[in-house]
Amino acid sequence: MRSTLLISSSLLVCALAGHVIAADIVVEKTDSGIAVKVGDQPFTTYIFQSKVKPILWPVIGPTGKEMTRAWPMREGNPDEKTDHPHQRSFWFTHGEVNGIDFWAEA
């Protein structure tokens, strides 16, 4: 039963993958970093100067909805928490690496 479900799921994923339309990836330099578009739709901006670490913000999903938090890059949304200012949108981080702490911020 379990193997049948796995095989069926795999076939469904493969069938759907055939319907994905390839889109052009457009990368443009901006004042704040690098903007990435999929086709003519914005996907994200790689922001070089976001306090101490670079981030991707916003990350926009296929429906046009922002998928990551906006605070502290954009303030004023009463539904968004304003805690953990070091957790900006989407970033890669680790504790101390070569004397630099990519997680905590002073």
Side-chain angles (χ1 to χ4, degrees):
M1 177 68 167
R2 186 174 225 174
S3 63
T4 303
L5 180 60
L6 180 62
I7 292 170
S8 299
S9 299
S10 299
L11 290 174
L12 178 62
V13 168
C14 290
L16 292 174
H19 295 284
V20 174
I21 299 172
D24 292 327
I25 306 294
V26 179
V27 178
E28 300 172 334
K29 186 170 176 15
T30 67
D31 291 339
S32 62
I34 297 173
V36 180
K37 293 181 181 178
V38 177
D40 61 346
Q41 299 298 313
F43 171 64
T44 192
T45 299
Y46 179 50
I47 301 174
F48 300 139
Q49 298 297 324
S50 173
K51 300 288 182 183
V52 300
K53 60 188 160 234
I55 63 168
L56 296 172
W57 179 76
V59 176
I60 301 172
T63 63
K65 180 181 177 186
E66 290 185 14
M67 306 299 289
T68 56
R69 70 184 288 170
W71 188 84
M73 291 73 62
R74 181 177 58 229
E75 297 182 7
N77 182 351
D79 297 327
E80 190 167 25
K81 291 183 179 182
T82 56
D83 61 345
H84 300 93
H86 61 287
Q87 296 178 353
R88 292 182 190 86
S89 190
F90 184 81
W91 76 100
F92 173 80
T93 190
H94 195 276
E96 191 171 309
V97 177
N98 294 332
I100 300 171
D101 191 342
F102 289 94
W103 175 257
E105 295 180 18

